[in-house]
Amino acid sequence: AGLAADVERGARAQEEGAAAGLEAAAHKMDQSVAIQETLSAEETCLATVQGILATEEGMESRLLSLIESHGKSMLCLYTHRRMAITAEDVCLDRVLLIQEGFAVEEVPPENNLQIPGSDVTVQVTSGGASLLVRLPFGSHTQTFLREVRRRCSPGKKDATAADPEQSAAGEVTGAPRLKTANKMVPSSSVPASGPTQGLSTRPCGLRDTLVKSLLKQKESSYTHLQNFRFFVGTYNVNGQSPRGSLRPWLSQDGEPPDIYCVGFQELDLSKEAFFFNDTPKEEEWFKAVTESLHPGAKYAKVKLVRLVGILLLLYVRTELAMNISEVEAETVGTGIMGRMGNKGGVAIRFQFHNSTVCVVNAHLAAHPEEYERRNQEVRDICARMQFHPLEPGCPLLAIKEHDVVLWLGDLNYRLEEQDMERVKKLIQTQDFQALHQHDQLKIQREAKLVFEGFQEGEISFQPTYKYNPGSDDWDDSAECRVPAWCDRILWSGKTVSLLSYQSHMALKNSDHKPVSAIFDVGVKVVDKKSYCKAFEGIVRSLDKMENASIPSVTLSKREFLFKDVKYLQLQVESFTISNGPVPCQFEFISKPNEDAYCKPWLIAKPSKGFLMPDSEVVIALELCVNKSTATALNSGEDKLEDILVLHLDRGKDYFLSVSGNYLPSCFGCPIQTLCYMKEPIREMLPEAIRELTLMPLLTDDAFWEEKPLDVPKELWMMVDLLCRSACHQEGLFQQPGLRPEFEQIRDWLDTGTLDVLGPVASNHSVAEALLLFLESLPEPVVCYKSYRSSLECANSYEMSSQVISMLPKCHQNVFHYLVAFLRELLKHTGKNHLDVNVLAGPNPSSIPEGGQTITAKGNCHNCKRWKQ
């Protein structure tokens, strides 16, 4: 894993590292690539979406692709093998020509129950064929449907579900809907993606924005608090399937909850789930939960979101479903390189009446000594978990920007250095208060190092981990884990009251016990008469302001200098926009002949917004150099220089100057360049770096007077250290490193302060630095031009070896060097638990443009098993 570069299509370069140094935006494979490979040169796959098709045999997953061929449009359905990456992963099932009689119609749910944010069910008819397909809610699906509608017969009115639009009352019209939970609607197997691209919708006017802002200020005049009961539950199921009813956990209270928030971790521990995000366990646990909800009420599933083994379900009582709106789901992986989903979080945000709620389910790093990593992962989830509002022009919503936040999960905080026998004695005497004084989460929260602003109820139940599965006995395996309260529920919000917080010993499937909390949450409910009165008053006051003067603002700073910028190290400069007496809308706009408002290594947060009279906003300019921008900065083709244009609606433009200096790094340099660098890159003159970086890729070293190194010295230093100290390391290339350690490794490599890497606290940090180094290569180890022939030769060792022999000499050397390293790791599989499936598994760090993955035998292929 990790021998080639990763190309994240369409992602803003700085978004990978702006919120935190190492993390990258969540990446979802575009399955259109696999479909396109099956087509001829005259055929084009315009869009692909994964859905669930109702067949005689049951519910089956299909890829729906919109294809144009010789001027005609058609909807093609494909069966597929997990995540489709190459043509071998898909098989054409049927073709529906888009012509007269073709239609796509939304299927209304039973009881006409509308829940914005739920999956959408559509009926596709063409000629005599009629198909029923459920598609995942989101902008990707809406974009796909919109493109299909555009190609329907001219003049024919298509009955496809309309794009979501915001009504005057703030409710979403034309939104997807689902049947009630007691009807057992199978859940989608499509996990929520990372941040989605917004739909093209009409711009939001200044007057509308001002009305909404003023209404928000007067919210207390037309709303009142009403308590609703929330059930929040978390359960690490250790990869087990459900056995028996979950009602001892989900329905233990006499009064049925109004809303259920149910989270699972370690839903599936198989490699297939880890690498392909595909598991039958999702359907099993969804069904078990739905059947175990409180019998005193009927519930509708609002949303399901999953990242590998982290699953979150949201239900609402059917009579309250119409009060749910603006439902969005997002995921953040915090595993290796900040992407892999074995650890991380999933979240669902929604508006209930007039209150906003965000529910987060997290699974954090394991092991007692990793509490700092857990703190870091919580910060990463908070920084990267951002929701796209339905209204265009509005800034992204962070977790903390909700009225109520409910955070649940296997947070994995342990007890600090406690003797097993002492812990068991305190548990036996139920002296949980004394034991809780040694709880890492309590200690870290009191030090304000994590979950600042959150609360947790008093713990009056015994630790929830680790048990022998099937019993209430503590772990007696060779590891003999010390009991700990790994499974926790926290909250933030001024209107939240905790009613109960407990574990449930009756469920024995797992080595964890489930935990639940019941809350009374004060929700802002709108009084329609008071709302109308406030609205009319605002409109009248705005009418008097129509002829007000042109807006103008004052900027606290207009020149920004970023000093000594390093690879993947975020720097932030801030300034304040202070508004005058006129409300204004501001936005950074692109300069003439430029597509973006800034260079790809820079981003402004927020980049647009609205200011009330005499108010102000702080703008953060975040600069981060990553793999997509480092090469040009190393070579001097690009410099840290830019001019930003801040535009006021109906006002003037303001110009901001940005400059800085970048410290060259081996990260982002071509392999050939590094092989010719005998000195650390920081000791070389800029002209020499430029000459080596821009040098054409050579197939013969004799062309250059000086003999190059066989492999880059930086690569050797990392691999050598891993060979000496990490061959027995469990979880290598699967567990992330620590950010400060990566920065230290990067500086060692770039400055050459030591001939070999000095002591590093974690082998995982070196392994992640190696993956980041390989990811940053502008030309992957197996060159782009060899991609097609590599795929064609994937099943033949001899032919694959021939492809490798055609690579430039420096790339051949690196390939064979890395293969030898991986083989060395496999000699110690009994201790490091690595195998060929793990090392060959497709992960975001190993997939360059086109989905290429390199394996130890020289085969270059997509999602195939590694052959010895």
Coordinates of all heavy atoms in Angstrom, one line a residue, residues 46 65-68 71-76 95-104 124-127 144-145 147-154 156 158:
L46 N -21.5 10.1 -18.5 CA -21.6 11.5 -18.0 C -21.7 11.5 -16.5 O -21.3 12.5 -15.9 CB -22.9 12.1 -18.6 CG -22.9 12.2 -20.2 CD1 -24.2 12.7 -20.7 CD2 -21.8 13.1 -20.6
S65 N -25.9 4.5 -14.8 CA -25.0 5.4 -15.5 C -25.7 6.1 -16.6 O -26.5 5.4 -17.4 CB -23.8 4.6 -16.0 OG -23.0 4.2 -15.0
L66 N -25.5 7.4 -16.7 CA -26.1 8.1 -17.9 C -25.0 8.2 -18.9 O -23.9 8.7 -18.7 CB -26.4 9.6 -17.4 CG -26.9 10.5 -18.5 CD1 -28.2 10.0 -19.2 CD2 -27.2 11.9 -17.9
I67 N -25.3 7.6 -20.1 CA -24.3 7.5 -21.2 C -24.8 8.1 -22.4 O -25.9 8.0 -22.8 CB -24.0 6.0 -21.4 CG1 -23.3 5.4 -20.1 CG2 -23.1 5.7 -22.6 CD1 -23.1 3.9 -20.1
E68 N -23.9 8.8 -23.1 CA -24.1 9.3 -24.5 C -23.3 8.5 -25.5 O -22.1 8.3 -25.3 CB -23.8 10.8 -24.5 CG -24.9 11.7 -24.0 CD -24.7 13.1 -24.4 OE1 -23.7 13.5 -24.9 OE2 -25.7 13.9 -24.1
G71 N -24.7 10.6 -30.2 CA -25.8 11.6 -30.1 C -27.0 11.1 -29.4 O -28.0 11.9 -29.3
K72 N -27.0 9.9 -28.9 CA -28.2 9.4 -28.2 C -27.8 9.2 -26.7 O -26.7 8.9 -26.4 CB -28.7 8.1 -28.8 CG -29.2 8.2 -30.2 CD -29.8 6.8 -30.7 CE -30.3 7.0 -32.1 NZ -30.9 5.7 -32.6
S73 N -28.8 9.4 -25.8 CA -28.6 9.2 -24.4 C -29.3 8.0 -23.9 O -30.4 7.6 -24.4 CB -29.2 10.5 -23.7 OG -28.5 11.6 -24.1
M74 N -28.8 7.3 -23.0 CA -29.3 6.1 -22.4 C -29.0 5.9 -21.0 O -28.0 6.5 -20.5 CB -28.9 4.9 -23.2 CG -27.4 4.7 -23.2 SD -26.8 3.4 -24.4 CE -27.0 4.4 -25.9
L75 N -29.9 5.3 -20.3 CA -29.6 4.9 -18.8 C -29.2 3.5 -18.8 O -30.0 2.6 -19.1 CB -30.9 5.2 -18.0 CG -30.7 5.0 -16.5 CD1 -29.8 6.0 -15.9 CD2 -32.1 5.2 -15.8
C76 N -28.0 3.2 -18.3 CA -27.5 1.8 -18.3 C -27.4 1.4 -16.8 O -26.9 2.2 -15.9 CB -26.2 1.7 -18.9 SG -26.2 2.1 -20.7
V95 N -30.2 -1.8 -20.6 CA -30.1 -0.5 -21.2 C -31.5 0.0 -21.4 O -32.3 -0.7 -22.0 CB -29.3 -0.6 -22.5 CG1 -29.2 0.8 -23.1 CG2 -27.9 -1.1 -22.3
L96 N -31.7 1.3 -21.0 CA -33.0 2.0 -21.2 C -32.7 3.2 -22.1 O -32.0 4.1 -21.6 CB -33.6 2.4 -19.9 CG -33.9 1.2 -18.9 CD1 -34.5 1.8 -17.6 CD2 -34.9 0.2 -19.5
L97 N -33.2 3.2 -23.3 CA -32.9 4.4 -24.2 C -33.8 5.5 -23.7 O -35.0 5.4 -23.5 CB -33.2 4.0 -25.6 CG -32.7 4.9 -26.7 CD1 -31.2 5.0 -26.7 CD2 -33.2 4.5 -28.1
I98 N -33.2 6.7 -23.6 CA -34.0 7.9 -23.2 C -34.6 8.5 -24.5 O -33.9 9.2 -25.3 CB -33.0 8.9 -22.5 CG1 -32.4 8.3 -21.3 CG2 -33.8 10.2 -22.2 CD1 -31.5 9.2 -20.5
Q99 N -35.9 8.2 -24.6 CA -36.6 8.7 -25.8 C -38.1 8.9 -25.4 O -38.4 9.0 -24.2 CB -36.5 7.6 -26.9 CG -37.0 6.2 -26.5 CD -36.8 5.2 -27.5 OE1 -36.3 5.4 -28.6 NE2 -37.2 3.9 -27.2
E100 N -38.9 9.1 -26.4 CA -40.4 9.3 -26.1 C -40.9 8.2 -25.2 O -40.7 7.0 -25.6 CB -41.2 9.4 -27.4 CG -42.6 9.9 -27.2 CD -42.7 11.3 -26.8 OE1 -41.8 12.1 -27.1 OE2 -43.6 11.6 -26.0
G101 N -41.5 8.5 -24.1 CA -42.1 7.5 -23.2 C -41.2 7.2 -22.0 O -41.6 6.5 -21.1
F102 N -39.9 7.7 -22.1 CA -39.0 7.5 -20.9 C -39.4 8.5 -19.8 O -39.7 9.7 -20.1 CB -37.6 7.7 -21.4 CG -36.6 7.6 -20.2 CD1 -36.0 6.4 -20.0 CD2 -36.3 8.7 -19.4 CE1 -35.1 6.2 -19.0 CE2 -35.4 8.5 -18.4 CZ -34.8 7.3 -18.2
A103 N -39.5 8.0 -18.6 CA -39.8 8.9 -17.5 C -39.2 8.4 -16.2 O -38.9 7.2 -16.0 CB -41.3 9.0 -17.3
V104 N -38.9 9.3 -15.3 CA -38.4 9.0 -14.0 C -39.3 9.8 -13.0 O -39.4 11.0 -13.0 CB -36.9 9.5 -13.8 CG1 -36.5 9.2 -12.4 CG2 -36.0 8.9 -14.8
V124 N -38.5 4.2 -12.8 CA -38.0 4.4 -14.1 C -38.8 3.6 -15.1 O -38.9 2.4 -15.0 CB -36.5 4.1 -14.2 CG1 -36.0 4.5 -15.6 CG2 -35.7 4.8 -13.1
T125 N -39.4 4.3 -16.1 CA -40.2 3.6 -17.1 C -39.6 3.9 -18.5 O -39.3 5.1 -18.8 CB -41.7 3.9 -17.0 OG1 -41.8 5.4 -17.1 CG2 -42.3 3.5 -15.7
S126 N -39.6 2.9 -19.3 CA -39.1 3.1 -20.7 C -39.7 2.0 -21.5 O -39.3 0.8 -21.3 CB -37.6 3.0 -20.8 OG -37.1 3.2 -22.1
G127 N -40.6 2.3 -22.4 CA -41.3 1.3 -23.2 C -42.1 0.4 -22.2 O -42.9 0.9 -21.4
F144 N -27.4 13.9 -10.7 CA -27.6 12.8 -11.7 C -29.0 12.9 -12.2 O -29.2 12.8 -13.5 CB -27.4 11.5 -10.9 CG -27.6 10.3 -11.8 CD1 -26.7 9.8 -12.6 CD2 -28.9 9.6 -11.8 CE1 -26.9 8.7 -13.4 CE2 -29.1 8.5 -12.5 CZ -28.1 8.1 -13.4
L145 N -30.0 13.1 -11.4 CA -31.4 13.1 -11.9 C -31.6 14.3 -12.8 O -32.4 14.2 -13.7 CB -32.3 13.1 -10.7 CG -32.4 11.8 -9.8 CD1 -33.3 12.0 -8.6 CD2 -32.9 10.7 -10.7
E147 N -29.4 15.7 -14.7 CA -28.8 15.5 -16.0 C -29.7 14.5 -16.8 O -29.8 14.6 -18.0 CB -27.4 14.9 -15.8 CG -26.4 15.9 -15.3 CD -26.2 17.1 -16.2 OE1 -26.2 16.9 -17.4 OE2 -26.2 18.2 -15.7
V148 N -30.3 13.5 -16.2 CA -31.2 12.6 -16.9 C -32.4 13.4 -17.4 O -32.9 13.2 -18.5 CB -31.7 11.5 -15.9 CG1 -32.8 10.7 -16.6 CG2 -30.5 10.6 -15.6
R149 N -33.0 14.3 -16.6 CA -34.2 15.1 -17.0 C -33.9 15.9 -18.2 O -34.7 16.1 -19.1 CB -34.7 16.0 -15.9 CG -35.3 15.2 -14.7 CD -36.1 16.1 -13.8 NE -35.4 17.2 -13.3 CZ -34.7 17.2 -12.2 NH1 -34.6 16.0 -11.5 NH2 -34.0 18.2 -11.7
R150 N -32.7 16.5 -18.2 CA -32.3 17.4 -19.3 C -32.3 16.7 -20.7 O -32.5 17.3 -21.7 CB -30.9 18.0 -19.1 CG -30.8 19.1 -18.0 CD -29.4 19.5 -17.8 NE -28.8 19.9 -19.1 CZ -27.5 20.1 -19.2 NH1 -26.7 19.9 -18.2 NH2 -27.0 20.4 -20.4
R151 N -32.1 15.3 -20.6 CA -32.0 14.6 -21.9 C -33.3 13.9 -22.2 O -33.3 13.1 -23.1 CB -30.9 13.6 -21.7 CG -29.5 14.3 -21.8 CD -28.4 13.5 -21.3 NE -27.1 14.2 -21.5 CZ -26.7 15.2 -20.7 NH1 -27.4 15.6 -19.6 NH2 -25.6 15.8 -20.9
C152 N -34.4 14.1 -21.4 CA -35.7 13.5 -21.8 C -36.2 14.2 -23.0 O -35.7 15.3 -23.5 CB -36.7 13.7 -20.6 SG -36.3 12.7 -19.2
S153 N -37.2 13.6 -23.6 CA -37.7 14.1 -24.9 C -38.1 15.6 -24.8 O -38.7 16.0 -23.8 CB -39.0 13.3 -25.3 OG -38.6 11.9 -25.4
P154 N -37.8 16.4 -25.8 CA -38.1 17.8 -25.8 C -39.6 18.0 -25.6 O -40.4 17.3 -26.2 CB -37.6 18.3 -27.1 CG -36.6 17.3 -27.6 CD -37.1 16.0 -27.0
K156 N -41.5 17.3 -23.2 CA -42.2 16.4 -22.3 C -41.9 16.8 -20.9 O -40.8 17.0 -20.5 CB -41.6 14.9 -22.5 CG -42.2 13.9 -21.5 CD -41.7 12.6 -21.8 CE -42.1 11.6 -20.8 NZ -43.5 11.5 -20.6
D158 N -41.2 16.1 -17.3 CA -40.7 15.0 -16.5 C -41.2 15.1 -15.1 O -41.1 16.1 -14.5 CB -39.2 14.9 -16.6 CG -38.6 13.7 -16.0 OD1 -39.4 12.8 -15.8 OD2 -37.4 13.7 -15.7

